[in-house]
Amino acid sequence: MNQMKNIDIKKLIQWYNQNKRSMPWRDTGNPYDVWLSEIMLQQTRIEAVKPKYIAFKNELPDIASLANCDDDRLMRLWEGLGYYSRARNLKKCAIYLMEHYDGKLPENFELLKKLPGIGPYTAGAIASIAYNLPAPAIDGNVLRVLTRYYGITDDIRLPKVKEMIEDKLNDFYSSTRPDSSYSSFNQGIMELGETVCVPNGAPQCKKCPLNKNCFAYQNEMTDGIPYRSSLKERKIVERTLFVIRDDQSFLIHKRPHKGLLAGLYEFPGVDTHLTKSETINHIESLGFTPLKITTLPDAKHIFTHLEWHMRAYEIKVAEIQHTLDEHYYLVNKKELQSLAIPSAFRKYTDWYSLRD
């Protein structure tokens, strides 16, 4: 690590106070707001989170209401944000908080880290933003800003890089006055990473309050720092979906409670591409008598480590008289539109909001 001057906390906080964006969860003084927003913002753009956050808070305004929320309702509120395990962990943590902390987030960084679904970053964000404690909150934005500032050229994916940044922040916290605004300091670095020291495109270094002592800027190395090694190529999974329906109902499957898209609803399918004739044979093997089969548009959905390449068929039957097993449900068109169906199937749910 290059020996650069430490961050000017006054200059950073002044910049933050003058440039921070308006967010529905910002400066509310409510730890629940910080927690909820930070979980929602993982892997999700701010503009996508804003309306979902407001709707979620209107329905579940506090930890108690979250702890008591029905799972299907919770998944419906989370729809569109993806990574649904985050919502399940929110509820799990809310129940734990009701049982052990009187429905409140503890004002302690180490205790926060031990809560279900709360890792070091989220614990640091809650501790520093909600309680103004000297706790590091290191996400991708903070890593990018500080690796550039300190001239760290190691692969940013390596755990040791995060450890280096954490050590630097802890040294910095220990050297500052106890009345310092750790909340504004941490949020200031995050805001720099979001708006100035950006992840995509050229950083706007001339607008940065830290540019005077930034190693990457002073040495014209912002193109090379941070260094990030390539991820392995995503696994491609070919899927065929079956929209099995009669005049009134659709057959819907609820996915297992563990694994990808756990506990959410989907159209039944198989992990291979089937032709029309193969699909008819498969549907007959399930005990249905197809009257008409229609090819629907193909779709693709990208997860972190895999891609679904989907083809789909609508299979009309005279009447659906059975649901295969307890994981299958019959729903009408209105119910179909109200279920927590993940965005992976958005093309098909949208299709049926427009068609009879």
Side-chain angles (χ1 to χ4, degrees):
M1 184 185 297
N2 293 284
Q3 297 301 312
M4 300 296 294
K5 292 182 179 179
N6 224 326
I7 296 171
D8 187 329
I9 186 170
K10 290 184 178 179
K11 182 177 281 190
L12 176 62
I13 291 174
Q14 182 182 29
W15 175 88
Y16 172 69
N17 289 332
Q18 291 173 349
N19 293 277
K20 63 182 177 181
R21 295 162 296 169
S22 176
M23 304 289 181
W25 52 80
R26 181 165 277 170
D27 299 330
T28 67
N30 185 348
Y32 176 60
D33 295 351
V34 178
W35 174 38
L36 177 59
S37 63
E38 289 297 341
I39 298 297
M40 285 187 166
L41 287 165
Q42 293 170 10
Q43 308 289 336
T44 311
R45 294 179 301 104
I46 285 178
E47 292 308 313
V49 166
K50 283 182 179 179
K52 300 298 294 185
Y53 170 87
I54 293 169
F56 195 101
K57 271 296 299 283
N58 286 339
E59 289 281 328
L60 306 175
D62 51 33
I63 290 171
S65 58
L66 172 58
N68 291 314
C69 183
D70 174 80
D71 285 351
D72 282 349
R73 181 183 173 213
L74 179 64
M75 292 300 104
R76 182 63 176 167
L77 288 170
W78 199 264
E79 187 177 354
L81 290 172
Y83 301 93
Y84 287 82
S85 60
R86 294 180 296 167
R88 286 186 287 274
N89 285 332
L90 271 171
K91 179 179 175 179
K92 182 179 179 181
C93 186
I95 292 170
Y96 187 88
L97 291 172
M98 294 300 296
E99 293 174 346
H100 298 278
Y101 289 99
D102 196 28
K104 298 176 182 177
L105 286 155
E107 196 171 337
N108 181 292
F109 178 51
E110 295 302 325
L111 290 179
L112 286 166
K113 285 195 293 184
K114 295 177 181 178
L115 294 174
I118 293 184
Y121 166 73
T122 305
I126 296 168
S128 61
I129 298 172
Y131 297 127
N132 197 39
L133 296 173
I138 304 172
D139 66 355
N141 289 315
V142 172
L143 278 173
R144 183 170 54 261
V145 171
L146 295 185
T147 52
R148 282 175 171 165
Y149 186 84
Y150 291 114
I152 299 173
T153 56
D154 296 286
D155 185 353
I156 201 170
R157 296 190 192 279
L158 296 176
K160 72 173 185 178
V161 172
K162 186 174 181 180
E163 292 169 4
M164 291 164 68
I165 294 299
E166 186 171 351
D167 289 344
K168 196 69 177 173
L169 286 172
N170 283 327
D171 288 345
F172 179 58
Y173 295 142
S174 65
S175 66
T176 56
R177 299 191 312 272
D179 62 345
S180 296
S181 179
Y182 303 110
S183 173
S184 293
F185 174 78
N186 277 6
Q187 289 185 90
I189 298 177
M190 295 174 190
E191 194 79 352
L192 271 180
E194 284 277 357
T195 63
V196 175
C197 199
V198 292
N200 298 307
Q204 302 174 48
C205 296
K206 292 184 178 179
K207 295 181 180 180
C208 180
L210 308 181
N211 60 16
K212 182 179 179 181
N213 293 312
C214 174
F215 180 92
Y217 175 62
Q218 293 297 333
N219 291 277
E220 299 183 351
M221 292 178 64
T222 56
D223 285 347
I225 302 176
Y227 166 67
R228 183 185 298 271
S229 60
S230 298
L231 284 172
K232 294 180 181 178
E233 289 188 8
R234 295 187 189 94
K235 178 183 177 182
I236 294 177
V237 177
E238 295 180 336
R239 300 200 76 210
T240 302
L241 304 183
F242 312 120
V243 183
I244 303 170
R245 60 174 303 199
D246 57 23
D247 287 338
Q248 302 297 325
S249 303
F250 293 83
L251 185 67
I252 293 296
H253 175 247
K254 189 170 187 178
R255 292 179 66 87
H257 286 288
K258 292 185 178 180
L260 185 66
L261 303 178
L264 301 178
Y265 296 90
E266 64 178 353
F267 296 110
V270 294
D271 284 347
T272 186
H273 277 171
L274 298 183
T275 64
K276 243 184 194 182
S277 60
E278 290 172 333
T279 296
I280 291 172
N281 291 335
H282 181 78
I283 297 303
E284 289 176 341
S285 74
L286 299 178
F288 299 107
T289 302
L291 300 178
K292 181 182 178 182
I293 182 168
T294 303
T295 303
L296 300 179
D298 290 347
K300 181 171 75 171
H301 189 78
I302 298 174
F303 299 94
T304 304
H305 301 298
L306 62 86
E307 294 182 18
W308 278 355
H309 291 191
M310 293 174 282
R311 64 174 53 168
Y313 299 99
E314 178 189 87
I315 300 98
K316 292 287 288 286
V317 298
E319 184 179 359
I320 302 176
Q321 296 180 339
H322 64 90
T323 57
L324 301 179
D325 63 38
E326 69 272 17
H327 302 295
Y328 289 83
Y329 302 86
L330 293 179
V331 299
N332 60 33
K333 182 178 176 182
K334 184 176 181 180
E335 291 168 334
L336 177 68
Q337 294 170 21
S338 67
L339 289 177
I341 298 178
S343 58
F345 309 107
R346 178 66 50 78
K347 177 170 281 191
Y348 305 111
T349 53
D350 286 353
W351 181 266
Y352 287 100
S353 70
L354 300 174
R355 291 168 57 91
D356 294 329

